[in-house]
Amino acid sequence: MPDAATLPVLDIHQHLWTEGFLTELRARRAAPYLDDWTLHLSGEPPSDLQPELHDPRLRVQALRTSGQRVVIAHSSPLGVEDLPRRESRRLLDALQEGFHDLRDLEEPVGWWAALPRETAEAGPSTASQRELGRLLDAGAVGLQIPAPWFAEPDDVIRLRPLLAQLQEADRPLFVHPGLVPSRTSNRAAYPAWWSPVVDYGAQMATSWWAWQVAGRPSLPRLRVCFAAGAGLAPLHHERLSARGGRTPALDPWTFVELSGYGIQVFDALLRVLGIDPLISASDRPYAEALEIPHDPAANRAIRALNPQRFLTGGTP
């Protein structure tokens, strides 16, 4: 492993929709689907995508310029993982085949594995173990799951066999915002920012607490990272103590990435967690990674050292 001074910037959270995945989305007539470049989801208003932001060659050119390494995440808010197994597998396979094409360009690009929920919750079955093993062997850095899969402690327990396999393989888990259910009221009444700010934040905070209750006690070595500041759940540890809960101990293998947030949230989480669990990631093409002004040591920690430790478990 390179020493700390030479570690590259590592962005564990970018999105890129490959050509095969776009084709599959356009062939659908039920959410999630694409009408040309307009995305339709069940619980969010239609949104127009910018084609150039999902052009693999443009992204690779940007990587060459920046010198970064990146890991491509699945767009879990589409709800692909929650579709019936056959539909889910078709879409995920199309996306992951495109990730393989990126690897063929010999660029510093990794990707997160994803599974249909029916497979993930199948327990310690041969099929689920084989599927996760196949994806890891194919080059996935670890497993990504939608945050609603950790909606309560029992959800974590149901996924424990799969998570134990991931722990045994010494690979990390990435928890990402997931599907927003269909609205019972008029969707037009919700501004475009509502789901990313309100729904995603609530999902992430809930998944953080479910993990604290039912995940870490039984999976002590599994490295896990919560996207989007974990919904700022760590900032509620004072309230937890006030209501009779036990503040989680500092945990070297639970990380929080900061996509969508700036210096104020960094400062707040730093006070609670310290700097070691904090990871700056971009959520590109929707945002840019946080850089701390005039603090090269902090930037090296959150943009190189900590994401490397999350992915590998090692200390540079």
Side-chain angles (χ1 to χ4, degrees), residues 50-306:
Q50 296 176 262
E52 65 274 13
L53 298 182
H54 291 282
D55 185 320
R57 296 199 174 275
L58 291 178
R59 186 70 60 87
V60 166
Q61 288 174 7
L63 290 178
R64 286 175 175 155
T65 300
S66 68
Q68 291 186 11
R69 293 175 53 218
V70 303
V71 185
I72 306 298
H74 294 265
S75 295
S76 293
L78 271 64
V80 168
E81 297 99 318
D82 295 293
L83 291 170
R85 190 197 308 257
R86 182 173 296 180
E87 294 179 58
S88 177
R89 188 70 275 160
R90 184 182 182 96
L91 285 161
L92 292 175
D93 283 349
L95 187 60
Q96 288 164 173
E97 286 170 9
F99 294 163
H100 284 207
D101 293 340
L102 288 176
R103 291 179 62 211
D104 291 342
L105 295 173
E106 297 184 355
E107 293 297 330
V109 177
W111 51 279
W112 292 103
L115 296 171
R117 187 164 192 166
E118 292 179 27
T119 299
E121 293 185 341
S125 68
T126 302
S128 62
Q129 291 175 336
R130 184 170 60 245
E131 180 65 8
L132 178 58
R134 179 183 72 83
L135 293 170
L136 297 179
D137 289 344
V141 301
L143 177 67
Q144 175 182 320
I145 65 167
W149 290 13
F150 277 6
E152 55 186 36
D154 278 351
D155 291 334
V156 182
I157 293 170
R158 276 192 291 274
L159 287 172
R160 192 176 290 163
L162 186 72
L163 301 179
Q165 180 185 354
L166 194 66
Q167 177 178 257
E168 186 63 26
D170 194 27
R171 299 296 187 91
L173 175 71
F174 185 42
V175 184
H176 187 284
L179 178 69
V180 175
S182 298
R183 305 290 186 189
T184 56
S185 58
N186 179 18
R187 281 193 298 170
Y190 295 84
W193 53 259
W194 185 273
S195 290
V197 175
V198 179
D199 295 310
Y200 297 178
Q203 291 177 6
M204 295 310 305
T206 301
S207 67
W208 170 271
W209 293 116
W211 170 255
Q212 299 297 333
V213 171
R216 179 55 77 213
S218 61
L219 296 160
R221 294 181 290 105
L222 180 60
R223 301 188 300 280
V224 58
C225 182
F226 292 84
L232 308 189
L235 303 186
H236 294 273
H237 286 180
E238 289 176 324
R239 183 171 177 82
L240 171 69
S241 297
R243 292 302 180 107
R246 183 177 179 181
T247 302
L250 291 179
D251 179 353
W253 303 127
T254 297
F255 297 81
V256 177
E257 66 93 40
L258 302 164
S259 60
Y261 289 102
I263 192 67
Q264 291 180 330
V265 164
F266 168 77
D267 286 344
L269 289 171
L270 181 67
R271 287 175 176 270
V272 177
L273 300 174
I275 200 167
D276 289 345
L278 301 184
I279 292 174
S280 176
S282 69
D283 195 21
R284 192 171 183 181
Y286 309 108
E288 295 296 330
L290 172 67
E291 285 193 66
I292 310 302
H294 314 299
D295 196 336
N299 285 318
R300 187 165 60 252
I302 66 175
R303 303 191 72 198
L305 301 178
N306 297 347

